[in-house]
Amino acid sequence: MDFTGASICKESPDSPLPKTWDILLPNQAEYVSRIAVDIGGSLAKLVYFSRDPATSSTTGGRLNFTKFETEKIHECIDFIAKLISARKLAGNKDKEEVVIKATGGGAHKHYKMFKEYLPEVRVEKEDEMNCLITGGNFLISKIPYEVFTYSDKDPMRFEEPPENIFPYMLVNIGSGVSILKVTGTDKFERISGTPLGGGTLWGLLSLLTSANSFDEMLDMSKHGDNKNVDMLVGDIYGTDYTKIGLASSVTASSMGKVFREEIKHKTEGIRSEDIARSVLLMISNNIGQIAYLNAQAHGLKRLYFGGYFIRGHSITMNTLSYAIDYWSKGTIKALFLRHEGYLGAVGAFLEGCINKK
C-alpha cells in the first residue's frame, strides 16, 4: 500500500459519525478489498478501505473506522455483508478476493459464525498482540497529527514522532488492560496488566446506574461530582496534608463517603452522575499508577495509552495525564492517539501489505 501523503480526514460539520477520524490515502492506486475486524470482550472494531464517493478518480481513497458491541456481533457481520454487496453493485473492477483479517479473542470465538454467514469470504485469524503493535507502530510513525498530550489547560497538543520511536510502552485499555514494552518493529513483550479496565467500568455502572451504554456512562460522568461520594484527604484532615504533599482535594478513598449515615439517608439519594464520575476516576487513576510503576521498573520514558476505554474522553485523559505527571514528578508524559481504539484492527488490516522492515 502507498501511505505517502496520508493524513487524518477533516470532518464535515454535518457528519453523522463524529470523531471517526478516517485516514485519507491520496496516492493509493490499487483498490484494497480486505476488511479488518478486532473483536474484543466488549467491542468489535472494523477498518476497511473505500474510494472517495465524491470523485470518479481511480487513485486515492480512505481507511474507514467503525465499531459494534461484541454481544451484537451479528450486526457487525451484517454490516460487512452489506459492505461487500455495495462494492459488487458499484461495479468494482478489482478482482482481488475479499479477505477478512480477524484479530482479538473474538476472532477465535466467532470464527465459525463469520464462516457460516459469509461463506464466500476467506477469514484469516491474526495474532492479537502482533496486530496491536503493528497498528501502534504505524500510527505513531506514519500518520501526522496522530499523537498528542492532554490537559485541561492545554488540550490536544500534538507531538512529532521521534526519529526512532523505540523503545516505548503501550498501555492498551480495553475490557481489561495489557501493558507492553516495545523495543523494535517486531520486538515486544507483555510486562504487566490489570483486570480493572473498560469492562469493569461498564459492569459496575450497569449495576449502580440506569445508563444503558458505555458512551452514556462517560457522558453521565461529565455531569457528576466525585466529592459527593469519594472520601478526600480534606474530609480526614480538614485541610491539606502538606508534609507528604497531599492536597485536601486528593481522593483518599474511592466511594469512601457512601457508608456514612448522612450520605445514605440524603432525601434526594446519591446521584448516578456522581457515582459515574467516582468509578471513572478510580479506574483511570489505578491504570495511571500501574503504568507509571511499570515504566519506572523498565526505564521507559514514552508511554502511549490506547484502547477504546479512552474514547477521546476529556476526564479520562486528564486523569491519566495527571497520574503520570504526579508519580513521575513531571519527567514522563502520557501520550494519546486519535485512533486509540483501533490499533489492533489497523494492525490486522496492514498484515501482509506493508514491509515492516
Side-chain angles (χ1 to χ4, degrees):
M1 290 188 69
D2 189 343
F3 297 108
T4 56
S7 64
I8 294 177
C9 178
K10 293 182 178 179
E11 297 171 287
S12 168
D14 57 354
S15 170
L17 294 171
K19 295 187 179 179
T20 51
W21 307 125
D22 290 350
I23 294 177
L24 297 179
L25 303 174
N27 298 302
Q28 175 61 28
E30 296 180 1
Y31 191 89
V32 185
S33 61
R34 71 180 60 197
I35 298 168
V37 59
D38 176 12
I39 311 172
S42 304
L43 294 170
K45 289 78 66 178
L46 204 69
V47 175
Y48 60 95
F49 177 84
S50 69
R51 295 291 190 198
D52 189 342
T55 177
S56 58
S57 173
T58 56
T59 300
R62 65 173 62 195
L63 292 183
N64 304 269
F65 302 82
T66 190
K67 69 181 188 302
F68 302 86
E69 291 184 16
T70 300
E71 68 174 0
K72 301 175 182 176
I73 192 65
H74 61 279
E75 293 182 1
C76 177
I77 295 174
D78 288 344
F79 180 87
I80 293 173
K82 291 176 182 177
L83 194 63
I84 295 170
S85 296
R87 289 175 173 180
K88 291 179 180 178
L89 289 173
N92 177 32
K93 296 178 181 179
D94 297 275
K95 302 300 182 182
E96 184 182 347
E97 178 187 12
V98 176
V99 177
I100 293 177
K101 293 282 191 175
T103 189
H108 303 275
K109 182 177 180 179
H110 300 292
Y111 178 79
K112 289 183 179 179
M113 185 183 295
F114 272 82
K115 292 297 294 180
E116 178 182 353
Y117 289 98
L118 300 169
E120 76 283 9
V121 176
R122 190 166 84 249
V123 181
E124 297 180 353
K125 291 178 282 189
E126 300 290 346
D127 180 77
E128 180 177 3
M129 293 302 167
N130 284 341
C131 290
L132 189 66
I133 299 306
T134 297
N137 290 344
F138 169 76
L139 291 167
I140 291 167
S141 62
K142 300 295 184 184
I143 305 301
Y145 302 105
E146 174 69 34
V147 177
F148 63 95
T149 59
Y150 186 92
S151 71
D152 282 341
K153 295 180 180 178
D154 191 12
M156 289 193 82
R157 176 182 284 271
F158 292 105
E159 291 266 320
E160 289 288 336
E163 186 173 338
N164 180 12
I165 66 172
F166 308 111
Y168 69 84
M169 192 171 84
L170 175 62
V171 183
N172 193 56
I173 315 171
S175 299
V177 182
S178 282
I179 299 178
L180 299 106
K181 176 182 178 181
V182 186
T183 55
T185 302
D186 292 306
K187 297 178 181 179
F188 64 90
E189 61 175 317
R190 186 181 187 274
I191 55 176
S192 188
T194 170
L196 303 182
T200 311
L201 180 80
W202 202 337
L204 287 176
L205 293 185
S206 293
L207 290 172
L208 299 172
T209 74
S210 60
N212 294 313
S213 70
F214 197 90
D215 289 318
E216 188 179 345
M217 292 168 188
L218 292 181
D219 185 65
M220 188 179 282
S221 72
K222 291 180 180 179
H223 306 287
D225 186 349
N226 66 297
K227 294 192 295 292
N228 292 329
V229 292
D230 289 348
M231 185 182 293
L232 309 182
V233 169
D235 295 319
I236 301 172
Y237 289 91
T239 184
D240 300 339
Y241 190 174
T242 54
K243 184 176 182 179
I244 58 174
L246 292 178
S248 61
S249 59
V250 170
T251 300
S253 176
S254 297
M255 306 289 284
K257 279 183 184 172
V258 174
F259 70 89
R260 290 184 172 182
E261 291 298 321
E262 68 268 25
I263 301 296
K264 288 195 293 185
H265 298 298
K266 285 174 65 175
T267 54
E268 67 272 24
I270 299 173
R271 297 172 65 236
S272 293
E273 292 85 353
D274 298 339
I275 294 173
R277 182 79 164 227
S278 173
V279 174
L280 177 63
L281 292 177
M282 174 180 67
I283 293 171
S284 299
N285 272 313
N286 183 65
I287 293 170
Q289 186 171 16
I290 292 173
Y292 163 71
L293 291 172
N294 276 279
Q296 183 187 49
H298 291 270
L300 298 170
K301 294 294 184 182
R302 297 188 67 80
L303 275 66
Y304 294 92
F305 288 88
Y308 228 103
F309 169 78
I310 300 171
R311 269 178 168 78
H313 189 58
S314 58
I315 298 171
T316 306
M317 292 189 293
N318 194 61
T319 303
L320 291 169
S321 295
Y322 177 84
I324 296 300
D325 182 73
Y326 177 84
W327 291 110
S328 72
K329 294 181 171 59
T331 62
I332 303 175
K333 294 184 292 185
L335 300 168
F336 302 96
L337 297 98
R338 291 168 81 175
H339 294 90
E340 72 236 323
Y342 291 94
L343 305 190
V346 169
F349 185 88
L350 295 175
E351 281 297 324
C353 69
I354 61 170
N355 183 354
K356 295 184 182 182
K357 305 300 181 186

